[in-house]
Amino acid sequence: VLFRSSRRQNEAVSTRVRAFTLIEVLVALAMIAVGAAAVLSSLDTAARAADRVRERTFAGWVAMNRVVETRLLRATNLKESSTDGEVEMAGRRWHWKETVRPTSFTGLWRIEVRVRAADSTDWLAERQGALGESLAPAGLGRDPWDLNAVNP
């Protein structure tokens, strides 16, 4: 009889142990859903930021390419101008706007290029360059960057 009474006590204790209620389970699932939504939102923001950096990088390359093209093609035909055009790079069309104007230094021209995606109005990059007839002070007799010049 002693054995049976302790067994009944154990059974009574085990029936008092409760499982999670439906409300508790739903609250836990809601908390997990909110956490998962926050993580997904953070991942989406990071992906958009990476895409924006990639776009700005390509736009910067387009702008620098345009500065170099202008320096090479217009080295002997310098005049104040404002032009624009489109070019394709990295599978995308890019619109550029270039302004060439003289600086306060004689013979030195400033080249400014702004670039945006062709289907956007938001300028993504701006680069500047210079082109000059001579950057050396007058009277030296030679350009200091001339590779053919002989050092004294």
Side-chain angles (χ1 to χ4, degrees):
V1 177
L2 184 59
F3 178 75
R4 285 187 184 168
S5 90
S6 70
R7 186 173 177 187
R8 284 185 186 151
Q9 287 176 347
N10 287 342
E11 288 176 5
V13 170
S14 65
T15 58
R16 289 185 201 147
V17 175
R18 295 178 6 154
F20 290 109
T21 65
L22 180 60
I23 301 237
E24 291 170 332
V25 171
L26 290 176
V27 168
L29 285 175
M31 291 172 54
I32 290 172
V34 168
V39 168
L40 289 176
S41 176
S42 296
L43 289 175
D44 182 55
T45 301
R48 287 179 192 266
D51 188 47
R52 188 75 169 167
V53 167
R54 183 177 52 98
E55 280 187 337
R56 287 185 182 273
T57 300
F58 288 142
W61 290 345
V62 169
M64 286 307 300
N65 284 348
R66 186 63 201 161
V67 168
V68 170
E69 286 177 22
T70 300
R71 292 178 74 185
L72 291 173
L73 297 175
R74 299 174 74 186
T76 58
N77 187 18
L78 294 176
K79 62 182 175 182
E80 191 166 354
S81 64
S82 181
T83 57
D84 64 339
E86 285 193 7
V87 66
E88 185 173 341
M89 177 183 268
R92 190 158 186 194
R93 300 286 306 162
W94 301 93
H95 180 80
W96 54 264
K97 181 172 182 162
E98 174 187 83
T99 305
V100 177
R101 61 180 174 215
T103 65
S104 58
F105 297 100
T106 304
L108 185 62
W109 294 78
R110 180 185 186 114
I111 305 166
E112 296 175 354
V113 178
R114 295 189 310 168
V115 177
R116 62 178 170 80
D119 57 354
S120 174
T121 58
D122 182 26
W123 296 102
L124 296 173
E126 182 175 343
R127 299 294 185 267
Q128 301 167 0
L131 180 60
E133 297 166 3
S134 177
L135 298 177
L140 283 181
R142 66 175 177 86
D143 292 331
W145 59 82
D146 187 358
L147 297 176
N148 297 322
V150 179
N151 290 329

XYZ file of all heavy atoms in Angstrom, residues 1-14:
115
model
N 0.830 -1.183 0.000
C 0.000 0.000 0.000
C 0.881 1.255 0.000
O 0.527 2.248 -0.625
C -0.935 -0.016 1.223
C -1.758 1.203 1.302
C -1.701 -1.273 1.291
N 1.971 1.194 0.661
C 2.869 2.322 0.691
C 3.373 2.646 -0.710
O 3.480 3.803 -1.099
C 4.033 1.982 1.628
C 5.029 3.099 1.865
C 4.339 4.326 2.458
C 6.128 2.627 2.770
N 3.634 1.639 -1.477
C 4.104 1.831 -2.859
C 3.049 2.487 -3.713
O 3.329 3.367 -4.498
C 4.517 0.464 -3.416
C 4.966 0.544 -4.832
C 6.195 1.059 -5.169
C 4.129 0.128 -5.855
C 6.599 1.136 -6.474
C 4.531 0.212 -7.168
C 5.774 0.706 -7.486
N 1.819 2.047 -3.542
C 0.730 2.599 -4.346
C 0.466 4.063 -4.012
O 0.177 4.849 -4.889
C -0.540 1.791 -4.128
C -0.493 0.489 -4.811
C -1.817 -0.190 -4.724
N -1.696 -1.498 -5.334
C -2.572 -2.445 -5.237
N -3.660 -2.261 -4.522
N -2.393 -3.590 -5.829
N 0.571 4.457 -2.798
C 0.275 5.845 -2.467
C 1.338 6.784 -3.036
O 1.031 7.872 -3.503
C 0.115 6.011 -0.958
O 1.316 6.315 -0.344
N 2.588 6.411 -3.025
C 3.621 7.290 -3.603
C 3.477 7.343 -5.124
O 3.768 8.351 -5.743
C 5.014 6.843 -3.207
O 5.339 5.642 -3.852
N 3.002 6.257 -5.689
C 2.786 6.254 -7.146
C 1.647 7.197 -7.508
O 1.707 7.923 -8.484
C 2.480 4.839 -7.620
C 2.387 4.721 -9.089
C 2.252 3.274 -9.473
N 2.078 3.167 -10.912
C 1.804 2.086 -11.554
N 1.661 0.961 -10.885
N 1.663 2.075 -12.845
N 0.610 7.184 -6.705
C -0.501 8.097 -6.957
C -0.070 9.549 -6.785
O -0.516 10.428 -7.512
C -1.652 7.789 -6.003
C -2.397 6.571 -6.392
C -3.594 6.369 -5.521
N -4.207 5.106 -5.842
C -4.891 4.374 -5.002
N -5.068 4.787 -3.760
N -5.421 3.252 -5.385
N 0.782 9.809 -5.830
C 1.285 11.167 -5.655
C 2.076 11.612 -6.885
O 1.954 12.734 -7.335
C 2.167 11.260 -4.404
C 1.375 11.210 -3.119
C 2.298 11.213 -1.910
O 3.494 11.019 -2.042
N 1.714 11.418 -0.749
N 2.893 10.725 -7.414
C 3.665 11.034 -8.619
C 2.737 11.296 -9.801
O 2.973 12.200 -10.585
C 4.631 9.902 -8.962
C 5.808 9.863 -8.011
O 6.074 10.850 -7.326
N 6.485 8.732 -7.966
N 1.699 10.503 -9.939
C 0.743 10.717 -11.012
C 0.023 12.046 -10.843
O -0.214 12.764 -11.801
C -0.270 9.577 -11.062
C 0.300 8.282 -11.567
C -0.706 7.141 -11.503
O -1.885 7.389 -11.154
O -0.314 6.009 -11.811
N -0.309 12.383 -9.610
C -0.985 13.654 -9.350
C -0.072 14.821 -9.693
O -0.498 15.816 -10.260
C -1.428 13.727 -7.894
N 1.223 14.717 -9.369
C 2.180 15.784 -9.678
C 2.342 15.904 -11.185
O 2.369 16.999 -11.728
C 3.537 15.508 -8.996
C 4.601 16.461 -9.505
C 3.401 15.641 -7.489
N 2.433 14.777 -11.868
C 2.636 14.838 -13.312
C 1.414 15.388 -14.035
O 1.546 15.978 -15.087
C 3.004 13.465 -13.859
O 1.927 12.584 -13.692
